Each structure stands twice: as structure tokens, then as C-alpha cells.
Amino acid sequence: MVEVPKTYKDLPSTPITFFTTEDNKTGTWRTIRPVIDKEKCTRCYICWKFCPDLSIEVEEEGDYPNVDYDHCKGCGICANECPSGAIAMEKEMGK
Amino acid sequence: MMEVMTANYAAAYAVKLARVGVIAAYPITPQSSISEKLAEMYVKGELYGKYFLVESEHSAMSMLIGASYAGARTFTATSSHGLALMHEMLFWAVGARRPIVMAVVARALAPPWNIWGDHMDVMSERDTGWMQFFCENNQETLDTILMAYKISEDRSVMLPSMVIEDGFILSHTYEAVDIPDQDDVDDFLPPFDPEWKIDFDDPRRFGGLTMPDWWSEFRYRIALDQEVAKKKIVEVDKEFERRFGRSYGGLVEFYNCDDAEVALVLAGSAVGTAKEVSDKMRERGKKVGVVKLKTFRPFPAEELKKLNDMVPVVGVFDRSYTFGYGGALYSEVRNGIYVPGGGALVKNYVGGMGGKDFTPKNMEFIFEDLLRIKKEGKVDRMVEWINIKDGTGRW
């Protein structure tokens, strides 16, 4: 494991990625966020299938899907594909 | 061992001596005979490494980046449109810090179609981050490739190198070339030993996504290491001289400059012509000096600053042109030697493009023009194209 550098001097001579995609919190790019309405959700997991960023999490079969806001970029595909209209795209507030 | 050969064959012998592990070959005029000679060596079993045929120059460079990641010393050669086709991967090689060495047999870019010598292809890759070494003759081509590996692979540098020889003027012209002994080269150039490489027992990810907060730090390191390379280039040149008896001045060579009245800065095969003309003009009492630019990247700005104290007028000869302004060497030299409120006058001469003959007579014209500027104390025009047919019959 390469230690995460503190300054440019600590960088390895060859660019080795020391942050995994999990460490890179791409959720900061988002301007609108998907919010799942559990009343309407039928747990079909189509949102999970369509998410291009693996940002919809399903912990166990039968659970409601959960959005990983650290990595969701707010593309809205989940809301667009949801057959029961359970996902609303809401404006990011307080940033 | 002395043999008579072209710069292309000299390049092939250098690759053999350097014990290159992976060679990617895609022929393009006037580079083809490097690939052909290496193919011949490979078939005869004389090469240390493997010789691969690829389907384009873009693939050639991509392949070498991969091979270099795996720990192999790598080589390819290209020219003109081939170099242009590599453009995208040239950036990748630098970003990935792969010490690839590539012979660039400099040639014009079409249209109109032209296969002859010219520096447009090389200058177009100025900003990729590759080190760029110009060669004056065939011997220098061989020696520079050996030195380039040593400089590039140094762990404090880790940047790729272009070794540039002028198309046809060197690539297809025969000269006596001293081929060093393999043992001496092995001693000079140890095997490639990168700090990081692909290792199945110690897997890691190379070149993955880096967010904006760290990306510029990677670029900053490249910028700093180009400066480190300057010192390394001088060091390696001195070591080469100790071992093989030949030196190319490191970054820059001042020839006939000590008491010169004017000096001409240039790179590549035209340096030889300039040196000869300078010698002849000195016999007639005209004190003209020649500044050979061995490296274009990293650019030896500090070294060239000396010119301000040496001469009042500096000429810069370009074998390429940046349309809409002036030659690339010119703008770099002028910026490099600039001191506020003074310094030498600088004028740009453009010529010898697309294989156009650039004769001692043309060179003499430039020196005479510089002497005239010195006398008049001002530059009449920024750029002058030499040898353009304008109906006056002056040439």
C-alpha cells in the first residue's frame, strides 16, 4: 500500500493511484440528488441496475434501495427509469 | 570499431548496444531503415530484446508505455505524420513517467506531400514533456541514444527522450561512425531498474483517476524533474566523454564564441554547416560564433543568457515555423536570454524546410546580415525567410 502523500515531494516517481475510487468522493459534483420515496418504491431494483456509478446500494434482498451520496453525481437516470415514480430529484441545498 | 553508415543505422546499432527489451516497429519515411536494420539484427539473433510489428505509430507508443510499465527498456522510431499520430500517447508516456527513448527522424508535414527533412514535426511536440535532443551528425545520433537512456531512466528524471536526426541529411547520408564495445556500453548503461513496475505479487493501480486537488502536483513534479534533467544531462555528457572520448557540450555548445561579434543559435545538422562557415569567415577576419542547441527540452535558458555578455547581436536559425508569429527556437531563445532594459538584439532566420538545400552560401548570408545589424545597431525585421524565390534572382 502506498501511503497517501502530504506534499508533492512525497509523490511516487510513477503516478500510482493512492486513492481508490471509493476514496474519491465524487458526490461533491452533484447539483441535484435522488430521493427515494419508500411509500411508492416496489423494490424492483431497476435503479440499482441502471446506476452508471454503482451509487445505489441494496444491502440485502428485500431491503429498500439506498443512495450512496458520497459517490452519486446526480445524473438522474434512476429517477428517469423508476417505473413507479418513486425517485424525485431534489436540489442540493446548503452548499 | 569504425564503420561507414547512415544515422539510421547508427541509431539501430545504439539500440542493439543499449540491450533494449522491447522494440515497436512501424515504418515511415525517412525512418524506415532504422526499423529495417533492427529487423535484420533481430532475425540474425543479434538483439537482446523482442521486436514487435504494430499497426500504427499510435499503437507503437501505446505498446511501449505498457512494456515500460512492465519493466522493459523500450525503443521506437518515427517521423512526421507518424509522430503526429502518436501525439496523444506522447502525453501519456510523460504523465506515466516512462523513460522511453525514441528516434525522431525529423521530416515535413503534408500537404503538399513532402518526405524530406524539416523540424515542424519535432517542434509540434514541444509541450508534451518529452526531452528533445538534437543531433548534428551520425556519430552523435548513436552516442545520444545511449546517453538518452541513461538520462531518462535515472530515478530522479524518469522522463522520455526524443533523439532527433534530420531526415535524409543524416538519416540517409553515410559517415564514419565509431561503434563502441558492448562491454563498455554495458558498463556505462546498467539495466533498466524502475522503482515502480507491474508486479503480479505486489499489485497496484497505475494512472487511475486523480482528482483536481492532486493532479497539478503530479504536473509540478514533471516541471521540477525537467530541471533535474538539466543537471543530469551535463553529468552524463561528462561521463560519456570520460569513457568514450566524445562530448556534445551537455545542453549547449559555444563554438568560436569567445571573441565573437555576432552569434547564430541553431540545432540539428545545420550546426555543422554553421561551424564550417564560421571557421572560413574567421580566416577573413570576421568574428562570427555558433551556438549549438543540443537540448531543446529541457531548454537551456540560463546557459544561453551568457550570450548577452558575449555578443550584441544574436541570430536564431529555425528549420520550422510557428505560423502567425516566428520560429519556435527563435521565440524560446529570445525569451530565454531576455534581460530587462538591454541584452542582445535577436533576429530570426527561417530556412532549410522540407528538404530545401541550405548551403554554406546561405549560412554566410545570415552571418553577414548579423554583422550588418551589429553595425546599424537595430533589427530591421523580426523574421527573414532564407532562400525564398522572389523573382530577384538573389539566390
Side-chain angles (χ1 to χ4, degrees):
Chain A
M1 187 63 202
V2 183
E3 273 190 42
V4 175
K6 288 187 181 66
T7 79
Y8 69 89
K9 289 175 194 159
D10 308 326
L11 290 178
S13 61
T14 295
I16 292 169
T17 315
F18 33 83
F19 293 115
T20 64
T21 30
E22 210 174 305
D23 296 326
N24 283 330
K25 304 257 191 276
T26 48
T28 55
W29 302 0
R30 198 174 52 235
T31 55
I32 45 172
R33 62 164 60 201
V35 177
I36 301 171
D37 183 349
K38 288 188 183 175
E39 301 276 301
K40 291 186 192 164
C41 176
T42 62
R43 287 171 279 181
C44 68
Y45 308 133
I46 280 178
C47 54
W48 172 81
K49 256 189 187 170
F50 273 90
C51 177
D53 251 329
L54 304 176
S55 293
I56 303 282
E57 295 165 339
V58 178
E59 304 238 320
E60 221 173 286
E61 208 173 329
D63 272 1
Y64 285 100
N66 189 36
V67 182
D68 166 12
Y69 290 115
D70 280 344
H71 296 97
C72 166
K73 299 181 185 71
C75 70
I77 290 177
C78 53
N80 193 59
E81 298 297 334
C82 179
S84 43
I87 304 177
M89 298 304 292
E90 292 180 5
K91 245 189 181 172
E92 284 289 334
M93 301 299 279
K95 282 214 301 184
Chain B
M1 183 180 62
M2 291 296 272
E3 271 198 39
V4 175
M5 65 175 78
T6 63
N8 275 1
Y9 279 18
Y13 275 103
V15 172
K16 179 185 168 184
L17 287 167
R19 296 188 186 276
V20 170
V22 172
I23 299 162
Y26 190 85
I28 180 168
T29 304
Q31 167 273 114
S32 304
S33 53
I34 299 180
S35 297
E36 285 165 12
K37 187 70 185 170
L38 286 169
E40 186 190 313
M41 289 171 171
Y42 183 59
V43 169
K44 285 183 183 162
E46 292 174 4
L47 289 186
Y48 164 81
K50 296 253 183 207
Y51 180 90
F52 292 96
L53 299 171
V54 288
E55 91 285 8
S56 79
E57 286 89 350
H58 188 279
S59 306
M61 189 46 59
S62 311
M63 178 189 202
L64 294 192
I65 291 166
S68 181
Y69 264 137
R73 177 171 289 161
T74 53
F75 177 84
T76 189
T78 193
S79 295
S80 183
H81 293 267
L83 184 64
L85 185 56
M86 281 180 187
H87 183 67
E88 178 196 6
M89 299 320 290
L90 295 182
F91 281 97
W92 194 277
V94 173
R97 308 301 295 267
R98 299 292 87 211
I100 298 162
V101 173
M102 165 165 71
V104 176
V105 186
R107 174 194 136 181
L109 286 146
W113 213 238
N114 181 304
I115 57 166
W116 291 275
D118 179 304
H119 290 166
M120 282 298 255
D121 52 355
V122 175
M123 293 302 164
S124 303
E125 306 303 346
R126 179 188 66 174
D127 301 336
T128 53
W130 280 64
M131 293 189 281
Q132 296 180 311
F133 304 108
F134 278 94
C135 299
E136 185 185 329
N137 53 45
N138 299 359
Q139 181 72 59
E140 191 172 341
T141 306
L142 189 150
D143 296 347
T144 306
I145 289 175
L146 296 179
M147 286 191 272
Y149 278 113
K150 189 152 178 132
I151 298 158
S152 283
E153 290 171 5
D154 190 277
R155 285 187 179 183
S156 65
V157 178
M158 288 299 277
L159 289 166
S161 291
M162 285 181 200
V163 176
I164 301 142
E165 39 153 309
D166 288 352
F168 291 102
I169 301 165
L170 298 187
S171 71
H172 286 64
T173 307
Y174 284 73
E175 282 179 357
V177 173
D178 174 40
I179 304 170
D181 284 339
Q182 183 68 62
D183 291 344
D184 293 341
V185 175
D186 287 346
D187 216 30
F188 171 74
L189 188 64
F192 179 37
D193 178 26
E195 192 180 356
W196 302 97
K197 63 176 177 181
I198 293 172
D199 180 354
F200 289 110
D201 297 325
D202 183 18
R204 41 184 94 250
R205 300 178 317 131
F206 294 91
L209 179 76
T210 296
M211 302 284 271
D213 59 338
W214 271 105
W215 199 82
S216 53
E217 276 71 12
F218 278 117
R219 298 298 113 167
Y220 186 53
R221 277 291 298 268
I222 294 170
L224 292 180
D225 292 346
Q226 281 270 354
E227 292 302 313
V228 173
K230 279 190 194 170
K231 288 190 202 87
K232 196 73 205 169
I233 290 162
V234 175
E235 218 178 283
V236 169
D237 184 73
K238 286 200 177 120
E239 191 190 332
F240 195 86
E241 187 180 19
R242 270 203 309 280
R243 285 171 185 269
F244 300 99
R246 290 184 293 272
S247 160
Y248 300 98
L251 299 159
V252 64
E253 182 194 345
F254 293 95
Y255 184 85
N256 278 350
C257 279
D258 287 342
D259 61 339
E261 292 178 20
V262 297
L264 182 67
V265 185
L266 69 175
S269 60
V271 174
T273 314
K275 284 178 175 171
E276 198 183 305
V277 170
S278 160
D279 285 343
K280 291 224 167 101
M281 287 179 78
R282 273 177 180 267
E283 283 168 18
R284 302 201 303 269
K286 295 188 172 176
K287 292 177 180 166
V288 295
V290 177
V291 182
K292 166 181 170 169
L293 206 57
K294 172 71 187 161
T295 62
F296 183 56
R297 281 292 182 275
F299 190 75
E302 283 308 310
E303 287 72 10
L304 289 172
K305 269 205 167 68
K306 284 185 219 157
L307 279 171
N308 286 317
D309 304 322
M310 281 176 166
V311 290
V313 181
V314 174
V316 184
F317 175 67
D318 269 283
R319 231 183 180 111
S320 68
Y321 198 69
T322 307
F323 297 111
Y325 186 53
L329 287 188
Y330 165 70
S331 36
E332 305 291 54
V333 169
R334 202 178 65 158
N335 281 343
I337 72 171
Y338 173 76
V339 285
L345 296 171
V346 190
K347 182 174 171 181
N348 191 195
Y349 300 90
V350 178
M353 285 165 75
K356 189 154 194 155
D357 252 358
F358 198 82
T359 62
K361 197 177 146 202
N362 299 144
M363 199 59 86
E364 199 174 329
F365 168 85
I366 292 179
F367 282 122
E368 290 290 356
D369 196 50
L370 290 170
L371 288 167
R372 178 186 61 80
I373 292 167
K374 195 209 158 207
K375 213 162 123 194
E376 292 171 7
K378 63 174 181 2
V379 178
D380 48 345
R381 55 174 157 159
M382 192 182 91
V383 186
E384 181 156 359
W385 286 55
I386 306 292
N387 225 347
I388 292 291
K389 293 179 183 73
D390 59 359
T392 62
R394 195 150 61 124
W395 303 103

